Every structure is written in structure tokens, then in C-alpha cells.
Amino acid sequence: MDFVELEAIEGLRWSWNSWPVSKTESNDLVIPLSIMQTPLMKFNDLPLLSYDPLICSRCGSVLNPYARVDYPSRIWVCPFCYQKNSFPRSYAEIGENNIPAELFPTYSTVEYQLGHQGLMTPKRVNSNPVHNWETSNGLGLAKLNSSSFSSSSLSSLDQRGVGGRGLGIGPSFVFVVDACSSEDEIQALKNELLLIVAQLPENALVGLIVFDAMVRVYDLGFTECLQVVVFHGERDLSSSQIIDHLGIHPTKQQLGKTQGVQKHGFILPVSECEFNIATAIEDIRHSSPLKPGHRSPRCTGTAILVAIALLEGCSVRTGSRVMVFTSGPATMGPGMVASQDLNHSIRTHRDINTGHAPFYWKSCEFYKQISEKLTDLSMVLDLFACSLDQVGVTEMRAPVEKSGGFIMLTESFESDQFRKCLRHIFTRDQEGFLDMCFDVTIEIVTTKGVKICGAIGPCVSLRKKNASVSEKEVGEGGTNTWKLGTITDKTCITFFFQVNEEQKPQPGTAFFIQFITRYRHGNMGIRKRVTSAARRWVSGGAPEIAAGFDQETAGSIMARLAVHETGKNFPREVVRWLDKELISFASKFGDYIPEDPSSFRLSTNFSLYPQFMYHLRRSQFIDVFNSSPDETAFFQMMLNREGVVGSLIMIQPTLFQYSFDGPPIPVLLDVCSLSPDVILLFDSYFYVVIHYGSKIAQWKKLGYDRDPNHESFRKLLEAPELEAEQLVGQRIPVPKLIKCEQHSSQARFLLAKLNPSVTHKSSYVDGTEVIMTDDVSLQVFIEHLQELAVQG
Ligand SMILES: [Zn+2]
């Protein structure tokens, strides 16, 4: 079975592709029944249907290719609950030779544009071979805009189109800028913001907030001079207090009219304030000089509160992002993470674990509340932390991660990484709309024999319980529906399931799982993407179970579970848990003679899994003590939203060797791969390292690459650079590219990830590189595993 090919059709990766019918048997599989879904994966051939989906009247599933259709009586039988549903009149022409796209066997995923909310009809992405169902759909167009936002200046936008750039009100962006950054940093940031604003669709709404010890909200509706409303940074204000202070109270609802707000200029369509917001951005100045021995007074938490209240007060319902740009920790007000006195250093992992981080828990609690608020209001929090110091990412993690916000950790706003990331977020699609979506929900419908346990990823449980929801919760559980503030075409969620024995699933029969992803497209229209998948029940011990095991997916899922555990347990307990699971796994799926470790074998589709676990347990996701709490939070958040391929690179980086001996080849992630006359290209997702062997480095220094007689050397140097450029170019956030020579200090980025097959403890000489570590090598690890597995 080619799991990658299947993923390209379904957007799904399953740890097990055949499921046992009993609960005990499924628990014995050690790795849970789970699916990694990329809800908005880009497909080559995705039918975009301009009518509403047909929904089963009993279970809420959407009509799909697995439904049994009785054409003469125009009835479809729901494959999930067997309810008979009749087709509406718009399907009158349906017949064996005239079937709608959603019944095409090859379309396991289709996308619906609901009711054309507030928009022109976008072009279809592909020409559909079947009957054009949209014309016969009698549902008609829904009301132009469901937004309750109707400040007088905005209501005009409701009515008119803005030249191909989307009708109605667009999404809103509140830029929250840290004025404590240095002069140069602020200038670099200002340049980028000006560029972004200049390129926004005209119907996008913008707001600007600048903070240091105070929070300043810019009035962008001015005609004479700049105006700001100021909040004191120390105060933990409620939304209604902030709304009061800004004077943007929603006016009383009048009969038959939508609720409006008083006219103000804090959030305006770009088309109305392009000049003013540019002037306001230009006006941002580096705030008062530092007191010696002190951190800048910075009230990041209050600034975020004000931004959220501002959007709340304006009742923006079309999707919004609060984008925070900061270069240091919050040192005052709610959510502060460090004191201003530099004698008190910012918390480390050890401080947090031993209770010596005085602000940590309070700050986390504050941001947990922010997170709940964002979910209720469908807002996204993005965090651009550009600083040499920590800024408090770990405290701010919940609202950023759960809203699906963008997170980047880099050293400077002047960096290429920052520029590329920010511009990437504001990419437009082919039709000129922002390639961005908002207000996402994912609903799962299952066959009765399947129960839903939960999800791990950038999502929040909506606690919608029905008969298919399990009592057992994994991650965000107790629900069949999750909320996500925003996702990209790469965002990947892991869902966990369980067998429901009471329904007595029969071996050999099929079961179905349907994912219904509802979201607001960049053009502001609502879409529903529906993926329907089928797999088979098998009896316990059936060969189909092993054949359907996807070890790469299993590795990624165990990594998410392990990261989830680090939130509750100390790293060494997580490692112990991973080891215990791996030993059970090996004794279940290995072939061996009991008590004889030398007889132990794993078949090919299981054999890589122990390696993944080896690298996972010593990765920065679990072994956190070599990273700062901010870095750990960043790494873990990235893993939690990445698909199978990316996750595996994070867990077990790739290493390629470039030499004169032939084309590049993959080599072992082992210290024995280091050699003086080769170049290594290492990719750990976050870092891409080009490592020049000592001889190569010397030839480079001597300028051989510029000598026409050494053309092949020039080419050898070029090849890994081109490949690295490609890797860096296609990944967001952009990885850090490091070029280093063997034995240089920068080489540590590579050395830290290599298997220490030769350490200062082993008796190796021979000029080989030696890694100073007490870690066990992969070989020793596997030997231990075999010994323990055969004990049964
Ligand atoms: Zn049904």
C-alpha cells in the first residue's frame, strides 16, 4: 500500500489502515487508531461545487460516493446511519448516467461554496465533467453579508464591489507593535508593515496599536493630525472597560436593523485610510531610553487585551488577526514574564520545574483566558518574536497555538526570515484574494462502530457530544467538532479513535469516517470541504493489520502524544513512557524465539519505527534542557501542526553526502558519516546545515573553486548550496541556514543530532570524530530493545 499516494488523494494518513473489531485487540496494537488530517491540503483535482451539500437528516453526514443511491425513487441511503434521504427537486435530473460530482467514486474530497455569501461567484477551479448542478439549485443567494459591522463609513463597502478584490468587508488586521525595540529594529519593522499595508486588498480592515509602558491606539480616521487613545500598561482591564474608554459602544439594536457601532477610526478599511495608516506607522518611535540595569517597561499583555477588545467592540465577524511584533519580554501589567530588574534573570526550564519562576503560572493563566476569548470571538493571535532574549513564547503559547496563529522566533526584524514569513502570510491566490482562511470548524461523522477520542493540533474542542464521542479523551476531546481560528494548506491535525464493540463490527465489512471542514475563504465566502474515507474491519491478528501499518505516521503520532505528555510530566517520565510503549510494540510485532535476543527481527514495514523513537526521545521536543523555554514552546508548536513528512524530518533529520564519487547519497545520521573529503547537507527542519569536511574546507580556502582546472570542485561546492536554497525556499517559517567547516563551533548544530556511535567512552582512535556524550548509541539502544522485547 502506498500511503503517500493515498494521502495525495484523501489528505489523510492513518497509523493503521485496517482496524481490528475488538477494543482489546486495538489496545494491543500499542499505537492508537489515529488519523493525521491536512484539512485544506492542496489537491491537483478538487471539485469546487457552487451549491450547498445534501445532508443526512439523521446523522448530519454529507452525501458522498459511499452512499447507496436508488435512482428511480430518488433516494440515497446514508452509509453512516442507513437513514433513507430523498433528493431535493434540484436533483430531479439525477440518473445513473448523470450523477453529481459528490457521488463520483474518485472524488473522496469535494468542496462546496455555501450560498455565495457576500461575493461574486469565483471561477471554478477545474472543469467538472458532470452536470452543472448549480443552475438547478433553488436555494438562491444568501444575504449579501452576515456581518453586523456597519459603522457608517463601512456600510458603504457592504454595497459596492471593490474591483475584483472581493466584495463586502474583508478580514481585519490589528498590528500590535513593541516600541521598546531598538531604533534600527523599529525601522526595519516599519518598512515591512508599510509594504504589507500597501498590498492589502482594499476591503481589508486595519488597526494600529503601539505599546511600551503604555498602550496607544491610533485613530486612523483623522483629517488634521495624528490622534491616539492611551491606556496605562499596568491595568488589567475588562473588554467592556476598554470599549468604554475607546467610546465604541455598539448602538442599541433597532427593529429590523442590524446592530451598528458609533463612527470611529480605530479600525478602517485600507481603502479609506491608506495614507493615514502609513503616516501612523511612520510615526512609531523607539521609546524612552533604558534605565541602566533594567529591562524595558513593556506591557505586551495589556496591548493584546486592548487589541482584542477593539475588534470585539467593532463586532468584526469576517475573521481577524491580532499580530504582535515584539522584541522582548513583558515586564509589567497582566501576563508579565520577567521583572524589569536585570539582576533577576528570565525563567529557565529548571526554574519552571522547581517553582522558581515567580510570574510563570500567573502569566500562563492570563493567556489561557485570552485563548478562550479568541476561540469565542474567532480571532487569531500571531506572534513575531524577534529578539536575542526570550520574550515569553511559552507563556503565550495557548492563544497562539489554539487559534492557529503564526509563530516565529528569530533574532531580528531585519532578518530575511522575518521578511519572508510576513510576506508569505499575506500571499494572494490566483484570483487576487488573500490566501488565508478564518473561523474554521472540523466536524467528524463516523460509522457506529467507531468512537472519537479527541485531537492534538492547533484546535479547540467545542464539547459537542453525540453517540460517536468516546468517554476516553485524548488531547482536545469530548466532542465531534473542533474550532480553529485559521489554518493553512499545510496545517495537520491528529485525530484519535476507538473501536465501539457494542456495535459488533463485522470483519471484512467497511467502515467510514467523514471530515467536514467549514471555513471562511480569503474571498470572505463560506466553504465546506468534505472528505469521506473508507477502510475495512478485520479480525484481530489478521495479516491486513500489519500490512496496513504506516510507520512514518505512527512515529509522528507518538511524537505528538509525547509532546502532549511533556505538558503534564517531567521529560524523564515521558522517555520512560515512550520506552515502555516501544518495548510492548516490539514484543507484539517482532519475530523471535522467547528469551533469545539474537533471534529478534522486525519486518520491513515495522523496522524503521524503533529508530524514530530513538531519535524522538533524544530530540529537543522531549529533552528540553538544551533549549530555552521559548525555543521548546516554538519547536513543540511547530511539530503539533506539521504533517507526517515534516514531522519526521524534525524527529529524524536527513543527511546527504556530496562527494567526487558520484551523485549525492543519503547517509546514516551517525558520527561515522563525517569525513574530511565530503560535504554533508543536513536538514532538521529548523536548521539546514552545509558541513564542509576539513579537506574540502582547505581547498575552498585555497580558492580551487575559482581555478578553471578544478571545474568539478566548483560544481561539487555548488550542488549542496542549490539544494539547501530549495529547502529553505519552500519552508515557512524559513529555516536557519548554517554553513560550517568540520571542527568549527557552528558544526555543533550537526553534531548534536548525530548518533554517537563513537564517543569519548568507546575505545575508538583512528582520527574519527568523537562525540562527547553519555547518550546511548542507536546500536546499543536497539540491542537493549531486543533483550527486553523477547522477555515478553
Ligand atoms: Zn446518516
Side-chain angles (χ1 to χ4, degrees), residues 56 58-61 78 80-83 85:
C56 169
R58 186 192 286 171
C59 73
S61 78
C78 171
F80 295 93
C81 70
Y82 310 116
Q83 170 78 4
N85 297 283

Coordinates of all heavy atoms in Angstrom, one line a residue, residues 56 58-61 78 80-83 85, ligand 1:
C56 N -27.5 14.3 5.5 CA -28.4 13.3 6.1 C -29.2 13.8 7.2 O -28.7 14.5 8.1 CB -27.5 12.1 6.6 SG -28.5 10.9 7.5
R58 N -30.6 12.4 9.6 CA -30.4 11.9 11.0 C -29.1 12.1 11.6 O -29.0 12.6 12.7 CB -30.7 10.4 10.9 CG -30.7 9.8 12.3 CD -30.6 8.3 12.4 NE -31.9 7.7 12.0 CZ -32.0 6.4 11.7 NH1 -31.0 5.5 11.9 NH2 -33.2 5.9 11.4
C59 N -28.0 11.9 10.8 CA -26.6 12.0 11.5 C -25.8 13.2 11.0 O -24.8 13.4 11.6 CB -25.9 10.7 11.2 SG -25.2 10.5 9.5
G60 N -26.3 13.9 10.1 CA -25.6 15.1 9.7 C -24.4 14.9 8.7 O -23.7 15.8 8.4
S61 N -24.2 13.7 8.2 CA -23.2 13.4 7.2 C -23.6 14.0 5.9 O -24.7 14.3 5.6 CB -22.9 11.9 7.1 OG -23.9 11.4 6.2
C78 N -27.9 6.8 3.7 CA -26.7 7.3 4.4 C -25.8 6.1 4.8 O -26.2 5.2 5.4 CB -27.1 8.1 5.6 SG -25.7 8.5 6.6
F80 N -23.5 6.0 6.9 CA -23.2 6.1 8.3 C -24.3 5.6 9.2 O -24.1 4.8 10.2 CB -22.8 7.5 8.7 CG -21.6 8.0 8.0 CD1 -21.7 8.7 6.9 CD2 -20.3 7.8 8.6 CE1 -20.6 9.2 6.2 CE2 -19.2 8.2 7.9 CZ -19.3 9.0 6.7
C81 N -25.5 6.0 8.9 CA -26.6 5.6 9.8 C -27.8 4.9 9.1 O -28.8 4.6 9.7 CB -27.1 6.9 10.5 SG -28.0 8.0 9.4
Y82 N -27.6 4.7 7.8 CA -28.6 3.9 7.0 C -29.9 4.7 6.8 O -30.9 4.1 6.4 CB -28.8 2.5 7.5 CG -27.5 1.8 7.7 CD1 -27.1 1.4 9.0 CD2 -26.7 1.5 6.7 CE1 -25.9 0.7 9.2 CE2 -25.5 0.9 6.8 CZ -25.1 0.5 8.1 OH -23.9 -0.1 8.3
Q83 N -30.0 5.9 7.2 CA -31.2 6.7 7.0 C -31.4 6.9 5.5 O -30.5 7.1 4.7 CB -31.0 8.1 7.6 CG -32.0 9.1 7.3 CD -33.3 8.9 8.2 OE1 -33.3 8.0 9.0 NE2 -34.3 9.7 7.9
N85 N -32.7 9.1 2.7 CA -32.9 10.6 2.4 C -33.4 10.7 1.0 O -32.8 10.1 0.1 CB -31.7 11.4 2.6 CG -31.1 11.3 4.0 OD1 -31.6 11.9 4.9 ND2 -30.1 10.5 4.3
Ligands
ZN1 ZN -26.8 9.5 8.3

